[in-house]
Amino acid sequence: MTEFDPEILKRASDGGIIFIAIDDEGNRSVVGVDEVKEPVNDDKPFIVVQPVYVDDRVKAVVDVFDALAASVPAVAASAEVQPVSSKARSAMSFAQALEALRKLAHPDSEEGGAQ
């Protein structure tokens, strides 16, 4: 998004985009599209979501699942994951799903491979 446009925001919301408000104390909460206010940007571009924000969280998710796999190896080895996407495979193992997540978190490094 490069501009504040209520119609574009509405279409984005209808397409599944969520909006997160941050209050003065830094607390975050999901808000409806009707609560989104035009930002004051002092003629500076604003960033909708910084990539590092998402990257750090994806890496944290990988760390959690790596810890889970290490803590409960028998469950991790036998668990089947049902992908949400209608185009996805019918089922994959926990290890396969974790490997796919690792590749998302670390696409250009050795960490994207099995550990």
Side-chain angles (χ1 to χ4, degrees), residues 9 19 23 25 37 70 76 97-98 114:
L9 293 173
F19 299 93
D23 66 20
E25 287 83 40
K37 307 291 184 233
L98 180 55

Side-chain angles (χ1 to χ4, degrees), residues 35-98:
E35 297 178 71
V36 176
K37 307 291 184 233
E38 185 168 8
V40 177
N41 64 6
D42 299 323
D43 293 327
K44 297 176 187 172
F46 60 93
I47 298 171
V48 177
V49 173
Q50 296 178 359
V52 70
Y53 177 90
V54 176
D55 293 345
D56 289 347
R57 279 144 185 83
V58 170
K59 289 173 185 171
V61 169
V62 170
D63 291 345
V64 168
F65 283 118
D66 276 337
L68 177 63
S71 298
V72 194
V75 173
S78 63
E80 285 190 357
V81 177
Q82 296 297 324
V84 175
S85 170
S86 61
K87 295 180 182 178
R89 296 170 295 277
S90 61
M92 61 176 63
S93 71
F94 179 88
Q96 289 170 318
L98 180 55

Side-chain angles (χ1 to χ4, degrees), residues 2-38:
T2 58
E3 62 187 86
F4 182 85
D5 182 329
E7 182 56 36
I8 292 173
L9 293 173
K10 173 75 170 100
R11 285 196 313 260
S13 177
D14 291 345
I17 298 296
I18 63 167
F19 299 93
I20 301 173
I22 304 173
D23 66 20
D24 292 336
E25 287 83 40
N27 300 311
R28 292 174 169 82
S29 61
V30 176
V31 296
V33 68
D34 56 322
E35 297 178 71
V36 176
K37 307 291 184 233
E38 185 168 8

